[in-house]
Amino acid sequence: GWQWNQEGRNTCIPYQKAANRVRKIGTWSTAESDGIMYIWHDVDGREPLYEVPSVFDLFPGCGSANDYHEPAEAGRFESAALPIHPQYAAENGVDFAHFKYVHRADEIPTVVHREFGEYDFKTELALHFKRRGADGEFELVEGRTRASLLGLGLGYSYADGVGAICSLTAVTPVDDERSIVRFSAWASKEDGQDDARVTKRQRNAIGQLEADI
């Protein structure tokens, strides 16, 4: 097909020698991070107001991409067009009580830290959950959930306790009433865990998102 450069100018037409120097198409500001492509849209035509981060640079102590399994098919989710406002990610991130009533946590988390920036909002929550120990008995473990909400529709998180999950929630409006929700989950590499266990952890993370929406 026809080929275009980053300014929207035609550079090649396969069936003729010369490019079309008159035709021009619209262009979009794009970025790539962690294998995710982002496209910036602004109704006023402004350039991006902030940089797209790597989820692994947002949370001290979470490790690097090499410490995690790629999301692959098991760790990715895309919804149909749903009646969800683009700021769903932001509103969900500040509704601390829903951990107990939506995600079936044993308690409402304690807010450890919160920080407001010009275009972002960061939180850190502490909560206890149960896990089955080697002796078969349940034990109480403290976990932390850290979130970084960027712009209108991006939500990054890092949850640790028994293993760790880094995730990205992206909400894209498709019309005046509906949005598409996309989600990616990176599961930490843990000794003794086979592919089936990694897949289960990623699917569990997606299950938490589905409980939200």
Side-chain angles (χ1 to χ4, degrees):
W2 290 30
Q3 298 177 18
W4 312 82
N5 64 17
Q6 62 184 12
E7 284 80 34
R9 299 290 183 183
N10 179 242
T11 59
C12 176
I13 301 176
Y15 45 83
Q16 65 184 47
K17 293 182 179 180
N20 188 319
R21 301 185 182 280
V22 177
R23 294 289 184 184
K24 185 179 181 181
I25 62 174
T27 60
W28 301 87
S29 296
T30 61
E32 184 277 331
S33 183
D34 303 324
I36 307 294
M37 287 298 303
Y38 298 83
I39 297 177
W40 171 264
H41 170 71
D42 185 90
V43 69
D44 297 320
R46 295 174 296 180
E47 291 297 309
L49 300 177
Y50 43 81
E51 296 292 327
V52 173
S54 166
V55 65
F56 306 106
D57 293 336
L58 286 172
F59 307 107
C62 78
S64 70
N66 292 331
D67 299 314
Y68 289 79
H69 297 276
E70 288 288 335
E73 183 177 357
R76 298 190 191 279
F77 170 85
E78 180 176 323
S79 75
L82 300 172
I84 292 178
H85 194 280
Q87 70 186 43
Y88 149 77
E91 292 182 349
N92 189 63
V94 298
D95 180 12
F96 309 130
H98 90 281
F99 276 81
K100 179 176 181 179
Y101 301 104
V102 175
H103 300 301
R104 301 183 182 278
D106 292 326
E107 61 187 8
I108 295 176
T110 300
V111 179
V112 177
H113 176 76
R114 67 176 70 180
E115 177 183 344
F116 295 89
E118 185 175 7
Y119 300 111
D120 65 339
F121 170 58
K122 294 182 172 65
T123 65
E124 180 176 350
L125 308 177
L127 69 163
H128 292 87
F129 59 94
K130 295 175 182 177
R131 71 172 179 184
R132 193 180 296 275
D135 58 0
E137 297 295 324
F138 283 102
E139 58 185 359
L140 205 60
V141 178
E142 182 181 81
R144 294 291 175 108
T145 297
R146 301 164 181 86
S148 180
L149 310 175
L150 180 61
L152 184 62
L154 295 177
Y156 302 85
S157 72
Y158 165 55
D160 65 343
V162 182
I165 293 285
C166 286
S167 65
L168 164 64
T169 304
V171 187
T172 303
V174 294
D175 57 33
D176 290 342
E177 297 181 350
R178 301 176 302 160
S179 299
I180 291 174
V181 181
R182 296 181 175 89
F183 180 81
S184 297
W186 293 261
S188 60
K189 296 177 181 177
E190 303 292 335
D191 292 338
Q193 289 194 354
D194 58 15
D195 291 344
R197 176 57 181 162
V198 173
T199 294
K200 183 177 181 179
R201 291 172 59 207
Q202 291 174 319
R203 298 308 300 178
N204 283 344
I206 291 173
Q208 298 298 326
L209 172 79
E210 291 177 316
D212 281 326
I213 61 177

